[in-house]
Amino acid sequence: MSEDILEQVTQSEYKYGFTTDVETEIVPPGLSEDIVRLISQKKNEPEWLLEFRLKAYRHWAKMKMPNWAYLKIPEIDYQSISYYAAPKKKNLNSLDEVDPELLKTFDKLGIPLEEQKILSGVAVDAVMDSVSVKTTFKKELAERGIIFCSFSEAVQEYPDLVKQYMASVVPYDDNFFAALNSAVFSDGSFVYIPKGVRCPMELSTYFRINAINTGQFERTLIVADDDSYVSYLEGCTAPMRDENQLHAAIVEIVAMNNAEVKYSTVQNWYPGDKKGRGGIYNFVTKRGICKGKNSRISWTQVETGSAITWKYPSCILKGDNSSAEFYSVAVTNNHQQADTGTKMIHLGKNTSSHILSKGISAGLSQNSYRGLVYVGKEAENARNFSQCDSMLLSDRCGAHTFPYMEVNNDSAVVEHEATTSKISEDQIFYCNQRGIPTEEAVGLIVNGYAKEVLNKLPMEFAVEAQKLLQITLEGSVG
Amino acid sequence: MLEIKNLHADVNGREILKGLNLQVNAGEIHAIMGPNGAGKSTLASVLAGNPAFEVTEGEITFLGKDFMELAPEERAAEGFFLSFQYPVEIPGVSMVNFLRTAMNEQRKYRGQEPIPASDFLRLMKEKKELVEMQSNLTNRSVNEGFSGGEKKRSEIFQMAMLEPRLAVLDETDSGLDIDALRIVANGVNKLASPERAIIVITHYQRLLDYIVPDFVHVLFDGRIVKSGNKDLALRLESEGYDWIKKELE
């Protein structure tokens, strides 16, 4: 296969790159205590939350951005970013009150709220820029005692729950971006599943950045009480902009005794153009804690977007017999960079974790897996199996693996396997000979390679993810 | 159906085919034999449009179309099929998904609608029986972990599904035990028809006991130097290629 065909298949088009003309309320760019106070005031927050934000801000102001990742990050001017943007109309009771332009946006994204409500049984919370627009199915969920609402609403309606669990997994001073988020977070989703309740439907949040020069700093908090179960999905898109936009979110998951939380995300923020201009910086802290006995958390992620992805969805296995999984497909193309992986912190007895990471690099991109498996002194019989595969679609891209292990208990069994492969010309020619053009062949082969992870996604997401993989790599091999 | 005139082809700058001529009509079965390095597999690859080979001179016409103008996938959609000597594995892609994609891409090229799922499954069942393919092979990933015999059988099964006008079987008999050889050959014979031509590339006469050719050609140093009927294959089997070399001197 010749070089130029390889180049062709790496030319993808980003189909979510539209903007929506809705009136937006934006605070002026810059970050200061005044801005933090302004955000808190706009959201009518209680005093304790303002104090939390200010504590985080003061801590952040003393911190420096870390530089240990295998990423080239242009200098970010935190004073040029606007930290709050919201579509102007707010506090809506029904879809009729939502700006029709906004609804059109969600239609374009393929999540018509009304239809989704009826057909798919997926409850959706759509977050545009910083404000949660609409949560479907709220009533049906409420009958079972399930809370699924925007974070701001949770602060007003369920302050005790928020106060109890917020920052219990990711403290405000955890890292540079966590501190930033804790100071300026605007909205996000809140989920609480009461004791003994199995959430009957997938809960889904759709994040979208729309306004120019804004950062998006949402917070998601999922709490699964004893003997409960929930599957939560998150999707993300953004319009095409020449400038980079910052996305620094926090996701916290708490699983109590015998609880299970499945968290899946298809991340498709705007990746920048073919020359590497624009795109989202996706610097996110995601962490779950298996707090109770026999609890279980799984992270499944399909990462195709963002100019730079920097995140490690992690699990603290504190409860005895708890288990955690991390399934990831990360695709980078053109000038995209990713440094992503997971941390499995084994603290309880008889805990187990499974890591399956599939990296796919094309174009001039750099794709790194970075993972930590930690086994504490008291963690008798900890088990971990990690498998990290990389696939290269061009000879100018890079794939890197940085596995770290720290084992402090002799009874632990920790295994690590890694492979690197190049998509072979023979495979593509074989497909060609059967009548399959090169682009479709690449899509087929890549989807086959990522299948083990895609199979972990809920059905409707899996189909979307498969298409996404193909679109992302369109024009990248041939 | 297929006409090859004065074909010259290089791989890595080395000339392998040096003025090859061949004509194949519908309904015919041709066997191409020859010593190692004569250019047999190169011919198969060039016909399929493998970009690793460069055609420097000559013409290939297939059903009235200039083959050189067509990409490999277009040649396939025009009705050309190659049974590979070494079929590659494609992990994670099921044979069902692979074949349905292939079939629908070919149909798209020909301006046809995609095949309905139920028709496709019925067709699979029918063709599996035809070539005595174990049913579980189609649920596995394409060629992954297949034995040599299973790979070859899977090639013939794909041929049965895609129903080409011309099929080239590149050393389909290599690595097969006698039972597998019989099953593969039976499959090929069932697929022979007055509209379809088959070219069998082989080292050994034994395959031709099962698939009886109308014509046998000897490929030597990049050219077809002798053609005859099936008796030619028998003579090659007993006497080797030395007498042909002598004739050429």
Side-chain angles (χ1 to χ4, degrees):
Chain A
M1 156 184 35
S2 62
E3 258 310 291
D4 50 288
I5 310 183
L6 264 171
E7 259 164 41
Q8 283 171 22
V9 184
T10 345
Q11 327 277 319
S12 62
E13 296 298 333
Y14 186 74
K15 69 165 178 168
Y16 303 99
F18 55 86
T19 55
T20 306
D21 290 327
V22 284
E23 260 197 286
T24 314
E25 184 184 16
I26 298 185
V27 301
L31 186 49
S32 62
E33 284 207 15
D34 288 345
I35 291 285
V36 173
R37 284 175 197 280
L38 183 65
I39 293 171
S40 187
Q41 184 199 336
K42 278 198 179 298
K43 302 178 80 62
N44 194 24
E45 285 176 353
E47 189 61 25
W48 62 265
L49 194 49
L50 174 63
E51 285 309 315
F52 173 83
R53 286 177 181 276
L54 288 171
K55 207 163 51 175
Y57 170 73
R58 286 170 198 142
H59 187 80
W60 177 81
K62 284 183 280 180
M63 294 177 91
K64 273 206 178 109
M65 190 169 130
N67 60 4
W68 45 262
Y70 194 80
L71 299 167
K72 277 187 200 145
I73 306 171
E75 188 138 352
I76 298 170
D77 180 1
Y78 291 93
Q79 295 305 331
S80 71
I81 297 169
S82 171
Y83 290 86
Y84 184 79
K88 253 184 182 163
K89 254 182 164 183
K90 285 202 293 170
N91 299 328
L92 311 162
N93 297 315
S94 79
L95 279 178
D96 305 338
E97 294 173 42
V98 177
D99 188 326
E101 283 292 321
L102 208 55
L103 286 181
K104 260 190 243 163
T105 304
F106 291 120
D107 278 349
K108 279 191 211 164
L109 294 170
I111 45 157
L113 296 179
E114 273 304 341
E115 215 174 296
Q116 193 133 8
K117 244 175 160 176
I118 303 153
L119 291 177
S120 61
V122 177
V124 176
D125 183 18
V127 178
M128 175 95 153
D129 285 326
S130 303
V131 171
S132 180
V133 179
K134 185 73 198 167
T135 306
T136 53
F137 269 119
K138 204 182 285 180
K139 248 189 228 159
E140 289 88 333
L141 294 170
E143 280 163 17
R144 294 167 202 258
I146 295 169
I147 303 169
F148 176 41
C149 63
S150 73
F151 202 89
S152 313
E153 198 182 331
V155 168
Q156 305 297 334
E157 306 287 325
Y158 315 100
D160 294 343
L161 280 175
V162 174
K163 212 170 168 180
Q164 185 181 351
Y165 291 107
M166 187 183 84
S168 70
V169 192
V170 180
Y172 72 90
D173 57 354
D174 188 80
N175 66 69
F176 183 82
F177 298 105
L180 178 63
N181 176 290
S182 299
V184 300
F185 72 90
S186 32
D187 213 331
S189 291
F190 176 78
V191 176
Y192 175 79
I193 314 291
K195 281 182 186 163
V197 172
R198 232 188 123 80
C199 185
M201 61 186 80
E202 315 273 355
L203 300 183
S204 171
T205 302
Y206 220 98
F207 292 113
R208 170 134 182 112
I209 298 177
N210 193 52
I212 198 161
N213 285 331
T214 53
Q216 181 151 334
F217 307 93
E218 74 273 356
R219 258 192 114 95
T220 299
L221 175 56
I222 301 169
V223 179
D225 218 325
D226 294 350
D227 307 300
S228 68
Y229 165 86
V230 64
S231 168
Y232 177 89
L233 323 173
E234 181 193 280
C236 338
T237 58
M240 299 200 264
R241 305 263 189 221
D242 285 346
E243 299 85 28
N244 298 102
Q245 286 177 291
L246 180 63
H247 173 250
I250 288 180
V251 177
E252 297 178 279
I253 299 175
V254 180
M256 309 301 274
N257 290 325
N258 308 310
E260 180 177 357
V261 179
K262 276 175 140 173
Y263 180 102
S264 314
T265 183
V266 173
Q267 184 265 112
N268 186 27
W269 296 117
Y270 177 52
D273 68 12
K274 281 161 207 155
K275 293 190 172 146
R277 277 179 311 224
I280 304 291
Y281 294 162
N282 188 34
F283 302 160
V284 173
T285 307
K286 293 186 172 185
R287 195 176 301 152
I289 182 165
C290 289
K291 207 168 177 181
K293 283 177 187 161
N294 307 314
S295 56
R296 187 169 174 190
I297 291 176
S298 75
W299 296 101
T300 305
Q301 57 171 18
V302 175
E303 303 278 323
T304 60
S306 298
I308 305 176
T309 297
W310 189 7
K311 65 167 186 177
Y312 312 93
S314 303
C315 279
I316 301 166
L317 294 118
K318 191 166 176 237
D320 292 347
N321 309 317
S322 61
S323 64
E325 283 137 16
F326 174 76
Y327 304 112
S328 169
V329 176
V331 187
T332 52
N333 197 354
N334 298 319
H335 290 263
Q336 279 177 282
Q337 307 175 64
D339 191 319
T340 183
T342 184
K343 288 185 270 186
M344 292 294 179
I345 313 291
H346 293 257
L347 301 177
K349 293 180 174 52
N350 307 315
T351 54
S352 69
S353 62
H354 184 194
I355 297 170
L356 176 59
S357 162
K358 300 264 183 183
I360 299 161
S361 347
L364 299 163
S365 67
Q366 295 293 333
N367 198 329
S368 304
Y369 169 81
R370 188 185 303 274
L372 169 69
V373 177
Y374 174 92
V375 178
K377 256 190 212 152
E378 314 293 320
E380 294 291 327
N381 300 317
R383 296 283 179 275
N384 163 266
F385 178 74
S386 306
Q387 186 181 338
C388 306
D389 298 330
S390 311
M391 181 182 254
L392 301 166
L393 298 192
S394 87
D395 39 28
R396 287 170 300 165
C397 58
H400 318 273
T401 305
F402 306 100
Y404 304 91
M405 279 176 208
E406 193 184 329
V407 179
N408 299 308
N409 185 307
D410 290 343
S411 64
V413 179
V414 177
E415 293 172 81
H416 179 91
E417 280 180 14
T419 66
T420 302
S421 55
K422 200 164 183 252
I423 195 163
S424 86
E425 295 172 16
D426 288 348
Q427 284 174 328
I428 290 177
F429 181 67
Y430 190 79
C431 294
N432 289 160
Q433 206 300 307
R434 298 303 186 245
I436 304 170
T438 298
E439 265 184 26
E440 281 70 21
V442 171
L444 199 67
I445 295 166
V446 166
N447 272 310
Y449 164 79
K451 193 178 181 181
E452 277 172 275
V453 174
L454 299 179
N455 281 349
K456 305 288 179 189
L457 289 171
M459 189 63 133
E460 60 271 79
F461 245 35
V463 175
E464 190 186 328
Q466 274 185 23
K467 281 190 209 142
L468 202 54
L469 283 190
Q470 187 140 354
I471 293 167
T472 305
L473 293 168
E474 245 167 45
S476 75
V477 190
Chain B
M1 175 182 275
L2 175 73
E3 193 161 5
I4 304 174
K5 279 187 193 158
N6 189 32
L7 184 64
H8 291 253
D10 288 8
V11 61
N12 300 325
R14 200 162 66 90
E15 188 170 56
I16 307 286
L17 298 183
K18 303 172 181 173
L20 184 142
N21 295 296
L22 181 66
Q23 178 158 357
V24 176
N25 299 313
E28 293 175 352
I29 297 180
H30 291 241
I32 295 179
M33 303 182 74
N36 288 328
K40 299 190 298 295
S41 287
T42 299
L43 175 63
S45 296
V46 167
L47 284 175
N50 189 328
F53 297 82
E54 196 193 346
V55 173
T56 53
E57 210 184 321
E59 290 169 24
I60 305 173
T61 317
F62 178 66
L63 295 169
K65 290 213 164 100
D66 179 2
F67 234 27
M68 304 309 301
E69 297 293 317
L70 299 179
E73 61 272 21
E74 294 170 330
R75 297 181 190 199
E78 290 286 347
F80 177 81
F81 182 90
L82 172 62
S83 167
F84 285 78
Q85 186 179 358
Y86 304 108
V88 294
E89 303 187 351
I90 309 180
V93 178
S94 72
M95 184 61 85
V96 177
N97 189 14
F98 177 74
L99 269 178
R100 204 170 48 137
T101 307
M103 192 174 276
N104 284 334
E105 288 293 340
Q106 291 200 13
R107 291 172 73 96
K108 192 158 94 187
Y109 175 87
R110 298 192 289 253
Q112 297 165 308
E113 292 292 309
I115 183 169
S118 55
D119 291 1
F120 177 80
L121 292 174
R122 201 176 313 123
L123 194 66
M124 282 242 316
K125 190 164 176 277
E126 187 187 311
K127 301 292 186 181
K128 262 195 297 207
E129 280 164 16
L130 187 74
V131 299
E132 298 177 54
M133 177 106 175
Q134 286 124 333
S135 58
N136 63 357
L137 287 187
T138 49
N139 293 327
R140 281 161 57 185
S141 297
V142 176
N143 297 324
E144 198 183 28
F146 284 21
S147 71
E150 285 169 338
K151 280 185 182 170
K152 295 300 168 74
R153 226 185 286 182
S154 142
E155 293 289 290
I156 301 305
F157 168 66
Q158 291 178 50
M159 173 181 161
M161 288 295 289
L162 296 172
E163 302 184 317
R165 298 293 307 278
L166 171 65
V168 173
L169 312 182
D170 189 7
E171 302 206 17
T172 295
D173 52 336
S174 67
L176 293 189
D177 63 37
I178 202 75
D179 289 332
L181 183 70
R182 187 185 46 75
I183 291 173
V184 165
N186 279 347
V188 173
N189 285 331
K190 282 179 194 158
L191 295 172
S193 83
E195 292 82 40
R196 182 174 289 147
I198 296 171
I199 298 175
V200 181
I201 293 173
T202 183
H203 271 294
Y204 303 107
Q205 145 67 23
R206 64 168 195 176
L207 178 65
L208 306 180
D209 286 340
Y210 297 97
I211 304 172
V212 181
D214 302 302
F215 302 94
V216 174
H217 308 279
V218 178
L219 181 56
F220 186 79
D221 194 26
R223 269 184 292 259
I224 286 177
V225 295
K226 199 168 190 66
S227 299
N229 61 15
K230 62 180 174 17
D231 296 337
L232 178 57
L234 290 170
R235 185 166 176 203
L236 290 172
E237 179 85 349
S238 60
E239 296 178 31
Y241 292 101
D242 281 351
W243 63 278
I244 290 186
K245 283 184 204 166
K246 279 201 187 98
E247 270 187 15
L248 289 173
E249 275 161 13

PDB file of all heavy atoms in Angstrom, chain A residues 144-158:
ATOM      1  N   ARG A 144     -39.091   5.478  41.491  1.00  0.00           N
ATOM      2  CA  ARG A 144     -38.254   4.458  42.132  1.00  0.00           C
ATOM      3  C   ARG A 144     -37.250   5.070  43.109  1.00  0.00           C
ATOM      4  O   ARG A 144     -36.388   4.377  43.617  1.00  0.00           O
ATOM      5  CB  ARG A 144     -37.467   3.680  41.074  1.00  0.00           C
ATOM      6  CG  ARG A 144     -38.361   2.859  40.185  1.00  0.00           C
ATOM      7  CD  ARG A 144     -37.594   2.381  38.981  1.00  0.00           C
ATOM      8  NE  ARG A 144     -38.522   2.060  37.905  1.00  0.00           N
ATOM      9  CZ  ARG A 144     -38.888   0.822  37.584  1.00  0.00           C
ATOM     10  NH1 ARG A 144     -38.388  -0.193  38.218  1.00  0.00           N
ATOM     11  NH2 ARG A 144     -39.736   0.616  36.611  1.00  0.00           N
ATOM     12  N   GLY A 145     -37.359   6.368  43.272  1.00  0.00           N
ATOM     13  CA  GLY A 145     -36.438   7.041  44.190  1.00  0.00           C
ATOM     14  C   GLY A 145     -35.096   7.383  43.569  1.00  0.00           C
ATOM     15  O   GLY A 145     -34.165   7.795  44.253  1.00  0.00           O
ATOM     16  N   ILE A 146     -34.987   7.173  42.248  1.00  0.00           N
ATOM     17  CA  ILE A 146     -33.727   7.474  41.568  1.00  0.00           C
ATOM     18  C   ILE A 146     -33.655   8.971  41.296  1.00  0.00           C
ATOM     19  O   ILE A 146     -34.623   9.579  40.823  1.00  0.00           O
ATOM     20  CB  ILE A 146     -33.638   6.707  40.231  1.00  0.00           C
ATOM     21  CG1 ILE A 146     -33.578   5.203  40.502  1.00  0.00           C
ATOM     22  CG2 ILE A 146     -32.428   7.163  39.418  1.00  0.00           C
ATOM     23  CD1 ILE A 146     -33.748   4.348  39.268  1.00  0.00           C
ATOM     24  N   ILE A 147     -32.523   9.552  41.605  1.00  0.00           N
ATOM     25  CA  ILE A 147     -32.330  10.963  41.300  1.00  0.00           C
ATOM     26  C   ILE A 147     -31.402  11.066  40.093  1.00  0.00           C
ATOM     27  O   ILE A 147     -30.302  10.512  40.100  1.00  0.00           O
ATOM     28  CB  ILE A 147     -31.702  11.712  42.497  1.00  0.00           C
ATOM     29  CG1 ILE A 147     -32.586  11.551  43.739  1.00  0.00           C
ATOM     30  CG2 ILE A 147     -31.497  13.176  42.151  1.00  0.00           C
ATOM     31  CD1 ILE A 147     -31.895  12.025  45.011  1.00  0.00           C
ATOM     32  N   PHE A 148     -31.859  11.716  39.043  1.00  0.00           N
ATOM     33  CA  PHE A 148     -31.013  11.969  37.881  1.00  0.00           C
ATOM     34  C   PHE A 148     -31.339  13.381  37.443  1.00  0.00           C
ATOM     35  O   PHE A 148     -32.405  13.655  36.913  1.00  0.00           O
ATOM     36  CB  PHE A 148     -31.319  10.962  36.767  1.00  0.00           C
ATOM     37  CG  PHE A 148     -30.560  11.206  35.481  1.00  0.00           C
ATOM     38  CD1 PHE A 148     -29.209  11.585  35.512  1.00  0.00           C
ATOM     39  CD2 PHE A 148     -31.162  11.039  34.249  1.00  0.00           C
ATOM     40  CE1 PHE A 148     -28.498  11.793  34.337  1.00  0.00           C
ATOM     41  CE2 PHE A 148     -30.466  11.247  33.058  1.00  0.00           C
ATOM     42  CZ  PHE A 148     -29.128  11.626  33.104  1.00  0.00           C
ATOM     43  N   CYS A 149     -30.436  14.304  37.736  1.00  0.00           N
ATOM     44  CA  CYS A 149     -30.733  15.694  37.425  1.00  0.00           C
ATOM     45  C   CYS A 149     -29.420  16.425  37.181  1.00  0.00           C
ATOM     46  O   CYS A 149     -28.346  15.847  37.294  1.00  0.00           O
ATOM     47  CB  CYS A 149     -31.503  16.336  38.568  1.00  0.00           C
ATOM     48  SG  CYS A 149     -30.586  16.404  40.097  1.00  0.00           S
ATOM     49  N   SER A 150     -29.547  17.713  36.855  1.00  0.00           N
ATOM     50  CA  SER A 150     -28.338  18.485  36.664  1.00  0.00           C
ATOM     51  C   SER A 150     -27.679  18.704  38.021  1.00  0.00           C
ATOM     52  O   SER A 150     -28.327  18.655  39.063  1.00  0.00           O
ATOM     53  CB  SER A 150     -28.658  19.812  36.004  1.00  0.00           C
ATOM     54  OG  SER A 150     -29.303  20.658  36.934  1.00  0.00           O
ATOM     55  N   PHE A 151     -26.393  18.954  37.986  1.00  0.00           N
ATOM     56  CA  PHE A 151     -25.661  19.131  39.232  1.00  0.00           C
ATOM     57  C   PHE A 151     -26.198  20.336  40.004  1.00  0.00           C
ATOM     58  O   PHE A 151     -26.368  20.281  41.227  1.00  0.00           O
ATOM     59  CB  PHE A 151     -24.159  19.282  38.931  1.00  0.00           C
ATOM     60  CG  PHE A 151     -23.295  18.957  40.099  1.00  0.00           C
ATOM     61  CD1 PHE A 151     -22.854  17.659  40.309  1.00  0.00           C
ATOM     62  CD2 PHE A 151     -22.923  19.929  41.001  1.00  0.00           C
ATOM     63  CE1 PHE A 151     -22.064  17.338  41.402  1.00  0.00           C
ATOM     64  CE2 PHE A 151     -22.129  19.619  42.099  1.00  0.00           C
ATOM     65  CZ  PHE A 151     -21.697  18.320  42.301  1.00  0.00           C
ATOM     66  N   SER A 152     -26.491  21.419  39.256  1.00  0.00           N
ATOM     67  CA  SER A 152     -26.989  22.639  39.928  1.00  0.00           C
ATOM     68  C   SER A 152     -28.290  22.358  40.656  1.00  0.00           C
ATOM     69  O   SER A 152     -28.513  22.845  41.767  1.00  0.00           O
ATOM     70  CB  SER A 152     -27.268  23.733  38.898  1.00  0.00           C
ATOM     71  OG  SER A 152     -26.211  23.840  38.011  1.00  0.00           O
ATOM     72  N   GLU A 153     -29.135  21.592  39.998  1.00  0.00           N
ATOM     73  CA  GLU A 153     -30.411  21.268  40.615  1.00  0.00           C
ATOM     74  C   GLU A 153     -30.195  20.438  41.873  1.00  0.00           C
ATOM     75  O   GLU A 153     -30.864  20.646  42.895  1.00  0.00           O
ATOM     76  CB  GLU A 153     -31.260  20.495  39.606  1.00  0.00           C
ATOM     77  CG  GLU A 153     -32.719  20.473  39.953  1.00  0.00           C
ATOM     78  CD  GLU A 153     -33.516  19.646  38.949  1.00  0.00           C
ATOM     79  OE1 GLU A 153     -33.109  19.567  37.775  1.00  0.00           O
ATOM     80  OE2 GLU A 153     -34.529  19.077  39.376  1.00  0.00           O
ATOM     81  N   ALA A 154     -29.258  19.512  41.785  1.00  0.00           N
ATOM     82  CA  ALA A 154     -28.965  18.666  42.936  1.00  0.00           C
ATOM     83  C   ALA A 154     -28.496  19.508  44.121  1.00  0.00           C
ATOM     84  O   ALA A 154     -28.859  19.244  45.266  1.00  0.00           O
ATOM     85  CB  ALA A 154     -27.909  17.629  42.570  1.00  0.00           C
ATOM     86  N   VAL A 155     -27.712  20.548  43.801  1.00  0.00           N
ATOM     87  CA  VAL A 155     -27.218  21.426  44.878  1.00  0.00           C
ATOM     88  C   VAL A 155     -28.391  22.077  45.592  1.00  0.00           C
ATOM     89  O   VAL A 155     -28.408  22.209  46.816  1.00  0.00           O
ATOM     90  CB  VAL A 155     -26.268  22.500  44.305  1.00  0.00           C
ATOM     91  CG1 VAL A 155     -25.979  23.584  45.335  1.00  0.00           C
ATOM     92  CG2 VAL A 155     -24.973  21.852  43.817  1.00  0.00           C
ATOM     93  N   GLN A 156     -29.421  22.477  44.809  1.00  0.00           N
ATOM     94  CA  GLN A 156     -30.591  23.124  45.412  1.00  0.00           C
ATOM     95  C   GLN A 156     -31.509  22.127  46.117  1.00  0.00           C
ATOM     96  O   GLN A 156     -32.001  22.387  47.208  1.00  0.00           O
ATOM     97  CB  GLN A 156     -31.404  23.863  44.333  1.00  0.00           C
ATOM     98  CG  GLN A 156     -30.615  24.864  43.509  1.00  0.00           C
ATOM     99  CD  GLN A 156     -30.055  26.015  44.337  1.00  0.00           C
ATOM    100  OE1 GLN A 156     -30.603  26.369  45.384  1.00  0.00           O
ATOM    101  NE2 GLN A 156     -28.948  26.587  43.878  1.00  0.00           N
ATOM    102  N   GLU A 157     -31.727  20.982  45.451  1.00  0.00           N
ATOM    103  CA  GLU A 157     -32.755  20.050  45.926  1.00  0.00           C
ATOM    104  C   GLU A 157     -32.237  19.007  46.915  1.00  0.00           C
ATOM    105  O   GLU A 157     -32.965  18.526  47.759  1.00  0.00           O
ATOM    106  CB  GLU A 157     -33.396  19.319  44.742  1.00  0.00           C
ATOM    107  CG  GLU A 157     -33.956  20.232  43.654  1.00  0.00           C
ATOM    108  CD  GLU A 157     -35.242  20.921  44.124  1.00  0.00           C
ATOM    109  OE1 GLU A 157     -36.000  20.276  44.870  1.00  0.00           O
ATOM    110  OE2 GLU A 157     -35.447  22.085  43.742  1.00  0.00           O
ATOM    111  N   TYR A 158     -30.990  18.577  46.709  1.00  0.00           N
ATOM    112  CA  TYR A 158     -30.443  17.501  47.558  1.00  0.00           C
ATOM    113  C   TYR A 158     -29.086  17.895  48.125  1.00  0.00           C
ATOM    114  O   TYR A 158     -28.102  17.174  47.949  1.00  0.00           O
ATOM    115  CB  TYR A 158     -30.306  16.209  46.733  1.00  0.00           C
ATOM    116  CG  TYR A 158     -31.508  15.894  45.886  1.00  0.00           C
ATOM    117  CD1 TYR A 158     -31.522  16.190  44.518  1.00  0.00           C
ATOM    118  CD2 TYR A 158     -32.646  15.307  46.451  1.00  0.00           C
ATOM    119  CE1 TYR A 158     -32.636  15.919  43.736  1.00  0.00           C
ATOM    120  CE2 TYR A 158     -33.770  15.036  45.679  1.00  0.00           C
ATOM    121  CZ  TYR A 158     -33.759  15.343  44.320  1.00  0.00           C
ATOM    122  OH  TYR A 158     -34.849  15.081  43.551  1.00  0.00           O
TER     123      TYR A 158
END
